[in-house]
Every structure is written in C-alpha cells, then in structure tokens.
Amino acid sequence: MKWVYFFGDGQAEGRADMKNLLGGKGANLAEMTNLGIPVPPGFTLTTEVCNQYYENDRALPADLDAQIKAALKETECIMGQQFGGTDNPLLVSVRSGARSSMPGMMETVLNVGLTTKTIPALIAKSNNPRFVYDAYRRLIMMYADVVMEKAEGIETQDGTGIRHQLEGLIDEYKKSHGHREDLDLSADDWQTLSEKFKQLIKQQLGSDFPDDPHDQLMGGISAVFQSWMGKRAIAYRRIEGIPGEWGTAVNVQAMVYGNLGDNSATGVAFTRNPATGENLFFGEWLPNAQGEDVVAGIRTPNSLNELTRPEESKDQISLEEFMPDVYIELDKIRTELETHYRDMQDVEFTIQEGRLWMLQTRTGKRNGPAAIKMAVDMANEELITHQEAVLRVNPSQLDELLHPMVDRQAEVSAQLLAKGLPAGPGGASGQIVFTADDAESQAAEGKTVILVRDETSPEDVHGMHAAVAILTAKGGMTSHAALVARGWGMCCIVGCGALKIDAAGKRMTVDGQTLQEGDWLTLNGTAGKVYAGQLPLKDSDPEGNREYAQLLEWADSFRTLKVRTNADRPEDAAQARAFGAQGIGLCRTEHMFFDPQRIMAMRKMILSGDLSERRAAVMELLPFQKQDFKDILRAMHDLPVTIRLLDPPLHEFITLTDAQTAELATELGLSSQDIEDRVAGLHELNPMLGHRGCRLGIAYPEITEMQARAIFEATAELIKEGVKVLPEVMVPLVGTDTEYRHQEALIRRVAGEVIEKLGVQFEYLVGTMIELPRACLTADEIAADAQFFSFGTNDLTQTTYGFSRDDIGGFLPAYLEQQILPHDPFQSLDIAGVGQLVEIAVEKGRGVNPKLKIGICGEHGGDPASVEFCHRTGLDYVSCSPFRVPVARLAAAQAALREK
Ligand code: PEP
Ligand code: MG
C-alpha cells in the first residue's frame, strides 16, 4: 500500500484533486511544487494512514517506516542535507492537514531533528548559536506538550500543563537575570533553559525528551494523528459538520527559517482581501520571525504592501518597501496561484536569508460580503463563469449581508472605548464574558454575550460559537480569533491593544475605565470600533450592494424552484418582496386571534353554550379579519398569497387568569365556576396532538366560515379597487381526505355566496397542508380534490419522529453529541425519513392530479440542504421567513446547477 507521497524540486506525486487522500495542505503543496513554485521539499502521509492508525488500535502500518525513510532520502537529496547528520543536518516540520481546513485544531511539531549531535553542526553552519538554541527550546516545548503530554492522553487543568510550566521557567529565568523580552535572551541563556526544560520534563512526565531524530519524527507523526481525535478537533468537526472518518494527513517538510536574522522574514497573505473581497494583495509579515509568531498574535504584524497599509500602521514598514525584489516575486506567485486555482488563495511564506519559500496555499476563507464580491468580480474578469460564481457563495453567507449594523447616528454620539482591527463585519451588542465556558453557559441561559479575551485559542471554540461577537486585545487579521470568526461570519474585532484584561477577576480596564462581566459592549466589526453600552443596531441594506444584486440576478436565471415567504404582517410581506419573494407560501392567522382586542370573542365562541351564541361571537371577528387579509393581499398584489385557516391547539385560547374568567363569566351570563368547569371539560393532556388544525374548523365550522368569508370579501373588495389578488385558502393538519373535503366544501360554498353577494368574479385556490404521515400516504385521495399541497415539515418532522417540536431541546444535545442524529431535524430536513414521505406524497399527489401545485412552508424552506432536496423532488416552490428569501434563491439556483 502506498502511504507516502513525495513532493519537491518541481515534481510531486500528488495533485490538487487528491485532497481526500492527501488533505488540503498536502494536495496543494504537491500542486504548487508541480507549478514550479518554490516549496521546501517533503512528503505527505495519507489520510488512510490515519484511518489505519485508528483501526489498528493506534499503531502505524508496519510498512510505513520504509516508505518514510525513502521519502526522507529524496528530501535530503534535494536540500543537500542529512536528517540527523553531523555535517549539514536537515530539520523537518510535522504538521496536520485535513481535507478541509481546521485552523489550529490539531498539532504541529517544528524543528524535528535537532539533537545534541546535530546542534553543533547547525551552529557551525548557521554561525548563529542563538537561533539554534532558540529553535531547540521551541522543539522541546512543542514536543513535550504535543507528543509527550497531549498524545499520551495526560489531562491537565487549564494553565498547569507542561507547556505552561516550561513557560514559567522562562519567566522565572528572565526575572532572575533582569531580562524583559524573549529577544533579550542569548544563546547561552536558551542553552541553559533547554537543559532545565529536559530536567523538568523527565521529572513531570517520567521520560526523557528523545535525542534520536527518527524517534522524534515518529513521535511527532503519531501525535498529529492522535490529535485528530483530540477534544477540540472533535468539537470543531461537530460545529462544522466534518465527518470523523475523513481522517487527517500529515505533512513532513524540510524546515526553512524566517528567524535567521534581518534578511529573513515570515508572513501570511491572501490573494484578495478576505474581509472586503477587494482585488488587492493583502497580508501580514514579521521580520526575523517564525510563522507561528504571525498567527499567535504575540507580535502585531506589518502590512504586506503600501496599498493595504492601514492608517494606524503608518510607522511600520511594508514588505514591499523592505524587500522589494522578494515582494515582486511573491506578487507574481500570487497571480500564478489565482490564475491556476481560479479562486482566492491563502498562502504562508517564509523568507530565509533573502530567499522566498512558499509553505502553503489553500482556498482562503472569506466572509459573506467578500465571497459575493470576489465571485462577481472573478466572473466579470472572466476568471470563472456566471454559473461558477453562483456556486461559489455559500447561501448562508448571504446572511452576513443581511446582518444588522450599528446604527450610524447612535455611533456618532457614542463614547468610543477603543479601536482594534476589523476582523469580522457587522454590528453586535452583548454582555461581556471573559471565558469561553462562561460564554457557553450564559448564552445557554438566553443571554447575548460578547467574548472578550487577550487572544483566543482553539480551546475556546465552543464559547466563540456561543457568543454574538468576539473581541481580543492581541492578534492580527490572521490570528485565530479572526480566522474562526470570518469562517462563521461573526462580528469580531482583534488586536485591540487598549484593553487590559483581568480574566480571573472578570474585569477589564480600558483607558482608565473599568468594565465587569455582564456590562454591555457594542462592536462595529466593520470599522473595528468598540463602544461601551448597548447601542441600537440597524438592519443592513443588501439591495444597495451591487455585487449582491448581480449575484442574485444570475442565480434567478438558473433556478427553476420559486421562492415564497412565510409572512403574516403586511410589513413582513413588503420586506420579503424586497428580498425577491414570489408570493406568500404561508400566512398564519393565529396571531390575529390572540390580539387583545379579539381574543375575548374567540374565548366566548369556544365556551359558549349554543350554536347561535357561538356564531355571533365568532362573527365579531369578521371585520378585523377582513382588514388583516386586505392589508396582506394588497402588500402582495399580483402575487399568490396562501392563507392558512386557524391552526393552534384550542387550549392556547383558554388558559385564563382569574380576572379573565370573571370577565368571560359576565359576558356570557354565567358564574366563574361554570367557566372553570367548561375550561376543565376542554382540557387536553397532549394539545399538540389534540384539538387543533382542521379539527377546529370541523368541530367549530363557524371559524372556517368566518375566515373564508373574510378572505373572499377582502378579495372581492380589492378587485373592485383594481388590485390584482390571488388568494389560496389552505386547510391545516389534514390526515384524511374526508377532513379535507369537509372543509373544502365549506370554503367553496362561502366563495360562491360572496361572489353572488358582491357581484365580483375572482379566482382562488383551495388546498391543504401536508404535515401528517397519513396525509402523505393517502396523498392520492386528498389530491383528487385539493388544488395544492404545502408541506408543513415542522409538524411532519414532529409526527414522523414522534419528537415533540417544543421539547426536543431536552434530549437533542445528547443525540448530537453521541451522533445518534447528524443534525437537528427541525432545522435541516431528515431526507431519509421525512423526505421519503414527501417523495411519496409528491408522487401520489401528482399521479392523480398532474397540475397539483406543491410547495413547502416548514422552517426547512430556508435551509439550503433542504431547498436542494425540494428542487430534486420536483416541488414548485419553497417558502421561508423574509430574511431567508435571498438564501433560498441562491440555494435553489445552486441545486439546479448541481443537477446539470
Ligand atoms: C409546519 O408544521 O411545518 C408549519 C409550517 O406549520 P406550523 O409551524 O405553523 O405548525
Ligand atoms: Mg404545522
């Protein structure tokens, strides 16, 4: 079995399209090598090695060693160095590389191959003992932490692990020798510290730091594989939906150094700006530094070029200015990579004594607005097609454009607390928390929190996810916090140096002002501004964004599925129309009954003793309902509006306070006891499966009659006014064709009466929700009469699984944790089960009624994966909340394009 793929000197065994086997990083290192870009040579251990490792009880395959040795030989050859050699020793890095990037979630070991034997040779060669001992102590620290502690499964309390203890030794040493910065330490200092490190490791972990290069290499490789099943990698995979079976690859690569003096440097760059999408080469670099220094946020890095240098960094030198030739070469590689990959790349580079090496390229993460701008720009530049542009943007990324922003007026008069780097756009207000655990627990209590940290680390991801925004004192635009927030489209500010955070004391001071946990902050992530207090947020204006409008115009030209909206207020309908909704797919009518002015009539109807009393009570609602429908039909003129008859459980109307009971008693001429008795008589143990949906309209036909009359009178009056309206009356929670026919007959009778009474002809449809398994299985019987179906997948999911939609929160976390369910089925449609019922209903329904119009109006109508299913299943439309209309439009276009 081939476990190892070599790359180096213009030739590689792998290619970019081998990501599943080589991981993203390995595949791209191979591809870059093949393009002739300067990449330090090395080799990739495949994801299959990882899977074997776990299948074989955490043992590496027997024939791996020989393949590693052979690849190492080739690497040595190209570099003119020997691994473990005493003349010109080769050092390597050992890094993870999964199929899709998991920033910082797995382990890395650098400088592997430094031993007591190779140190003198490297000193002789580099003439820089300080660099060598600094590299050595870094290796010892990383190795002890990653290989000897974490991979061995040694659990430590926060701040007590071996790395922390070793850092403690450095601090102690600096203090006792009067040094302030790491840079003040000499070669001898680092040598002394390295010896102290080894002693402490032996004492704490019970074994020696290995002095054999091969042992170091194999230890590093196993540790990286081990980190695939580490706690934070598992947590990240769960949030991102990355399957555990993918495994990670491991890349072993010749080390090159950006910290060999002033002619060396290291940096990261994006071929376009990942925060705005602008076609400008954008990045950060540090002179005389290692790669980890840039991303760890310990030093604030410089801008790559003059064009992108922010006002705040006037006194820093750009790479363009500092090393113009190297910058030109890097800029050329930028163009080569973009032309080759036809997408924005995120690269890491190192300059070792004036020579440029590319360490990594991958498709860069970007926020929503940037993704849209890049896709449209690249299509206009003819780098990609319109179809590709539409496929490039993740539908949920549109959300970011639809995100609230801090109200401008309020911002002008607000007190600016501090400024940082604008890492994630949009505005957010929340209460301060200082730890990820607090963020998670307080968010679970329903608080809106902003996570404030010195810097974030992968251990914080759960809290970062729970917060509405992230604010850090340290780090640059490529720091951990910035990368993760950008990936999730979150509001985020980093490098806000004015914050003096005392996480243990749960407070921070900024410019003399102290803020505690629970105090409110507002962030403008687009401008990097932090304000004390809770400023109002304002809805965004996506229509003002040219690229967004262009992208959705292209999307509309590709999609076949229509997109409607769920709206029951005229203002929501107008909003949805502005977002491109092609009608209302669900106008719920319940809130219209719960209005304080109207609920009394409804209660009187339910509790009244005889038919005429009941009728009189419900007819009190007719004028209100007629106005409701007029307003909404007018707002959606020229487009269809599906109005659903009353649906909620009866008991929701008759949960009464003493005062309400007394008031009702007076109205109905009864005693309070009588009212209580009648309410008790209607009590249900299981209201969700009880007296609701069409059962209400069958037991109390006056309700259906009143609603139908209100709809049709509104229609007739609007038509008289010259407004074109297309009402569709929808019966809820039907399980049998007889239920449907009972309600349909009533509705059609009322329609006839209204047409006759008002002398206006109008068109209308009558149809039904399909939200019970029985309705799906007998869809042919129902479709014989119904003109349309609308899948109520909220109830259909509830009744298919037998999970109460209101109570799933009790056990869902355990289900997701233990992978009993892959996701919340109320968020994204369960295609295998609920989806199958939908397919059956579509087939049976269209079998008897080919013209049957079919849509979906459950929450799934705005979920991209569910939209794709709806497209495949031949639905005519999806209907979702107004803010998800653009998301559904894009998802529908992508579904159509993917099918081709
Ligand atoms: C549904 O059940 O999917 C639906 C749209 O109706 P409701 O959520 O109002 O029950
Ligand atoms: Mg329902």
Side-chain angles (χ1 to χ4, degrees):
M1 183 90 181
K2 183 166 175 61
W3 305 114
V4 173
Y5 284 70
F6 176 77
F7 55 86
D9 199 21
Q11 275 181 354
E13 295 180 299
R15 287 186 318 271
D17 60 6
M18 292 166 74
K19 282 200 178 65
N20 294 359
L21 188 65
L22 302 180
K25 179 180 257 175
N28 283 328
L29 283 172
E31 188 82 359
M32 275 205 292
T33 304
N34 284 330
L35 285 174
I37 287 170
V39 173
F43 50 92
T44 305
L45 278 63
T46 66
T47 51
E48 282 170 358
V49 181
C50 184
N51 291 335
Q52 280 288 314
Y53 177 78
Y54 284 103
E55 271 167 38
N56 292 340
D57 213 9
R58 306 193 183 215
L60 293 169
D63 52 344
L64 179 68
D65 205 51
Q67 294 186 30
I68 289 178
K69 285 196 170 124
L72 205 49
K73 216 163 209 83
E74 286 188 73
T75 311
E76 289 175 335
C77 226
I78 290 172
M79 294 302 281
Q81 298 174 322
Q82 297 83 42
F83 189 58
T86 49
D87 189 15
N88 186 3
L90 169 73
L91 303 186
V92 297
S93 60
V94 180
R95 295 172 204 263
S96 61
R99 258 195 234 186
S100 83
S101 142
M102 297 172 51
M105 297 299 140
M106 286 180 289
E107 305 298 354
T108 292
V109 191
L110 304 176
N111 305 331
V112 170
L114 260 184
T115 63
T116 48
K117 259 172 61 200
T118 57
I119 285 173
L122 204 66
I123 292 176
K125 197 182 154 273
S126 67
N127 213 6
N128 189 342
R130 186 188 182 282
F131 151 72
V132 176
Y133 280 109
D134 183 31
Y136 189 47
R137 66 93 190 179
R138 284 177 195 254
L139 166 66
I140 301 173
M141 282 177 100
M142 254 186 260
Y143 198 91
D145 173 33
V146 171
V147 186
M148 300 176 73
E149 187 173 84
K150 287 208 183 91
E152 287 300 322
I154 300 173
E155 292 267 349
T156 57
Q157 293 272 310
D158 215 16
T160 61
I162 189 73
R163 179 180 267 268
H164 195 81
Q165 293 183 40
L166 298 176
E167 273 162 5
L169 280 185
I170 302 181
D171 288 343
E172 238 170 66
Y173 187 91
K174 281 199 293 205
K175 225 183 255 160
S176 62
H177 289 74
H179 297 311
R180 290 188 53 199
E181 305 286 334
D182 284 5
L183 282 174
D184 300 335
L185 300 192
S186 67
D188 288 345
D189 292 328
W190 286 127
Q191 185 178 11
T192 313
L193 271 167
S194 301
E195 290 312 312
K196 283 179 188 282
F197 278 9
K198 288 196 274 190
Q199 282 162 17
L200 184 70
I201 288 166
K202 170 92 189 187
Q203 185 190 328
Q204 289 292 312
L205 303 176
S207 48
D208 283 314
F209 168 73
D211 200 32
D212 174 81
H214 202 67
D215 289 351
Q216 287 179 359
L217 177 60
M218 297 314 286
I221 288 171
S222 302
V224 175
F225 284 135
Q226 190 82 0
S227 68
W228 177 251
M229 287 296 173
K231 247 203 224 136
R232 53 179 207 244
I234 292 175
Y236 186 85
R237 283 205 293 276
R238 202 177 56 229
I239 294 166
E240 293 285 312
I242 298 172
E245 321 68 272
W246 280 8
T248 182
V250 172
N251 297 293
V252 178
Q253 197 177 12
M255 286 289 302
V256 289
Y257 290 93
N259 56 345
L260 271 182
D262 290 340
N263 204 14
S264 299
T266 189
V268 294
F270 297 89
T271 57
R272 295 184 192 216
N273 186 321
T276 64
E278 277 173 305
N279 189 1
L280 292 175
F281 195 17
F282 179 88
E284 292 170 333
W285 73 288
L286 280 172
N288 197 9
Q290 295 224 64
E292 54 171 351
D293 300 338
V294 180
V295 280
I298 297 160
R299 287 160 69 186
T300 300
N302 304 346
S303 299
L304 205 57
N305 49 31
E306 295 302 299
L307 219 54
T308 60
R309 189 163 65 175
E311 213 16 50
E312 300 83 79
S313 324
K314 275 200 303 277
D315 44 343
Q316 291 179 343
I317 188 160
S318 69
L319 184 71
E320 186 178 19
E321 223 179 344
F322 189 65
M323 293 184 177
D325 292 345
V326 175
Y327 179 78
I328 289 170
E329 191 188 350
L330 187 64
D331 194 36
K332 208 175 118 248
I333 292 173
R334 167 208 180 201
T335 313
E336 258 174 56
L337 287 174
E338 256 207 9
T339 317
H340 180 73
Y341 285 100
R342 301 163 73 242
D343 202 352
M344 186 268 273
Q345 297 293 297
D346 164 0
V347 299
E348 283 179 21
F349 63 89
T350 282
I351 300 159
Q352 178 172 307
E353 297 179 310
R355 181 164 178 199
L356 175 66
W357 292 98
M358 301 306 290
L359 302 187
Q360 158 156 312
T361 187
R362 59 186 170 187
T363 299
K365 293 206 185 227
R366 60 206 75 183
N367 61 34
I372 295 163
K373 177 160 176 51
M374 281 182 212
V376 171
D377 282 354
M378 286 182 190
N380 288 335
E381 290 159 27
E382 296 186 2
L383 190 61
I384 59 174
T385 62
H386 290 180
Q387 281 92 332
E388 282 172 305
V390 166
L391 287 166
R392 278 283 165 90
V393 178
N394 183 337
S396 58
Q397 284 186 311
L398 293 184
D399 270 342
E400 288 167 55
L401 223 71
L402 314 168
H403 268 333
M405 306 287 279
V406 183
D407 181 89
R408 249 193 219 131
Q409 281 317 97
E411 209 174 337
V412 173
S413 47
Q415 178 216 351
L416 182 67
L417 200 58
K419 251 195 113 197
L421 299 171
S429 266
Q431 292 175 274
I432 302 175
V433 287
F434 291 100
T435 69
D437 288 344
D438 287 343
E440 191 177 53
S441 61
Q442 297 194 21
E445 285 166 28
K447 285 195 188 161
T448 307
V449 297
I450 292 182
L451 179 60
V452 182
R453 306 278 291 160
D454 254 333
E455 62 206 295
T456 66
S457 81
E459 263 100 4
D460 295 324
V461 282
H462 59 294
M464 296 165 79
H465 200 245
V468 287
I470 299 162
L471 171 63
T472 70
K474 294 183 180 163
M477 292 286 277
T478 48
S479 64
H480 179 261
L483 281 183
V484 171
R486 192 171 301 132
W488 289 340
M490 264 177 105
C491 171
C492 174
I493 296 175
V494 298
C496 188
L499 311 182
K500 300 285 167 279
I501 299 171
D502 170 12
K506 303 202 171 191
R507 62 177 171 243
M508 64 174 177
T509 51
V510 195
D511 212 11
Q513 191 173 336
T514 301
L515 292 138
Q516 317 269 3
E517 182 185 74
D519 287 347
W520 282 85
L521 276 188
T522 299
L523 307 191
N524 175 342
T526 313
K529 292 180 177 168
V530 183
Y531 301 95
Q534 190 179 11
L535 300 190
L537 302 178
K538 235 183 141 191
D539 289 341
S540 58
D541 171 27
E543 296 303 331
N545 179 316
R546 248 182 329 122
E547 287 86 8
Y548 161 90
Q550 177 65 80
L551 188 81
L552 283 179
E553 193 187 311
W554 290 338
D556 288 345
S557 73
F558 300 128
R559 74 183 159 95
T560 52
L561 198 60
K562 289 205 165 64
V563 178
R564 293 196 190 183
T565 192
N566 293 358
D568 37 12
R569 289 179 175 82
E571 53 274 28
D572 297 338
Q575 173 71 269
R577 244 192 128 118
F579 282 148
Q582 294 165 287
I584 288 181
L586 174 63
C587 171
R588 294 181 169 101
T589 54
E590 17 284 5
H591 87 268
M592 302 170 180
F593 286 80
F594 286 101
D595 185 297
Q597 267 191 308
R598 314 178 189 183
I599 189 144
M600 181 56 89
M602 187 63 187
R603 287 179 180 144
K604 271 194 323 201
M605 186 221 68
I606 295 168
L607 298 169
S608 61
D610 64 52
L611 187 70
S612 72
E613 234 177 59
R614 235 162 61 188
R615 243 189 111 69
V618 83
M619 287 305 164
E620 282 179 34
L621 294 173
L622 181 64
F624 291 111
Q625 280 267 272
K626 190 155 89 178
Q627 194 56 45
D628 293 330
F629 296 142
K630 257 180 132 164
D631 292 343
I632 203 137
L633 285 164
R634 193 194 303 274
M636 267 288 153
H637 60 89
D638 300 317
L639 296 172
V641 175
T642 307
I643 298 169
R644 182 179 71 187
L645 302 179
L646 193 66
D647 181 38
L650 197 60
H651 91 123
E652 289 186 14
F653 294 98
I654 48 170
T655 309
L656 304 174
T657 62
D658 289 348
Q660 288 166 340
T661 306
E663 192 186 349
L664 260 174
T666 315
E667 285 272 332
L668 291 170
L670 296 166
S671 70
S672 287
Q673 189 57 50
D674 287 337
I675 298 288
E676 280 166 20
D677 290 346
R678 288 187 189 184
V679 169
L682 293 168
H683 175 75
E684 290 180 316
L685 280 179
N686 209 339
M688 252 299 171
L689 295 176
H691 202 161
R692 60 171 288 218
C694 67
R695 301 154 204 172
L696 288 170
I698 290 169
Y700 303 98
E702 307 75 26
I703 303 177
T704 303
E705 188 184 331
M706 181 279 290
Q707 288 201 292
R709 195 168 297 281
I711 293 167
F712 295 132
E713 287 187 5
T715 301
E717 288 174 18
L718 285 170
I719 285 178
K720 266 193 194 164
E721 284 178 34
V723 183
K724 187 171 173 208
V725 291
L726 301 160
E728 303 175 344
V729 185
M730 180 155 76
V731 184
L733 216 75
V734 158
T736 70
D737 63 320
T738 46
E739 284 174 327
Y740 174 71
R741 282 209 298 272
H742 175 282
Q743 291 288 288
E744 188 203 11
L746 225 166
I747 295 160
R748 290 199 186 279
R749 174 174 61 76
V750 173
E753 287 168 12
V754 172
I755 289 170
E756 192 163 329
K757 187 175 115 195
L758 299 185
V760 184
Q761 278 297 335
F762 52 81
E763 284 177 30
Y764 67 97
L765 300 182
V766 187
T768 177
M769 298 280 291
I770 298 287
E771 47 187 345
L772 294 174
R774 193 181 191 287
C776 295
L777 299 174
T778 60
D780 46 350
E781 293 169 10
I782 300 169
D785 297 292
Q787 288 173 293
F788 66 88
F789 280 178
S790 179
F791 287 100
T793 42
N794 304 333
D795 274 308
L796 191 57
T797 300
Q798 167 168 265
T799 48
T800 300
Y801 276 103
F803 290 161
S804 156
R805 57 196 269 191
D806 301 312
D807 304 315
I808 191 173
F811 55 87
L812 186 67
Y815 268 51
L816 295 179
E817 182 99 355
Q818 296 169 52
Q819 297 182 351
I820 306 286
L821 286 179
H823 56 252
D824 177 355
F826 288 100
Q827 247 174 47
S828 192
L829 196 78
D830 156 48
I831 289 172
V834 178
Q836 202 182 134
L837 285 168
V838 171
E839 282 163 354
I840 292 171
V842 169
E843 202 187 308
K844 288 194 167 223
R846 288 243 171 88
V848 297
N849 181 356
K851 288 208 307 240
L852 188 72
K853 188 145 89 167
I854 307 183
I856 178 177
C857 64
E859 277 308 294
H860 306 90
D863 166 67
S866 314
V867 170
E868 171 146 27
F869 166 80
C870 293
H871 171 84
R872 267 191 279 125
T873 313
L875 267 57
D876 296 301
Y877 68 86
V878 295
S879 187
C880 54
S881 59
F883 274 83
R884 293 169 89 185
V885 166
V887 176
R889 283 164 69 192
L890 184 58
Q894 293 186 346
L897 289 172
R898 285 205 190 99
E899 202 177 37
K900 282 184 184 155

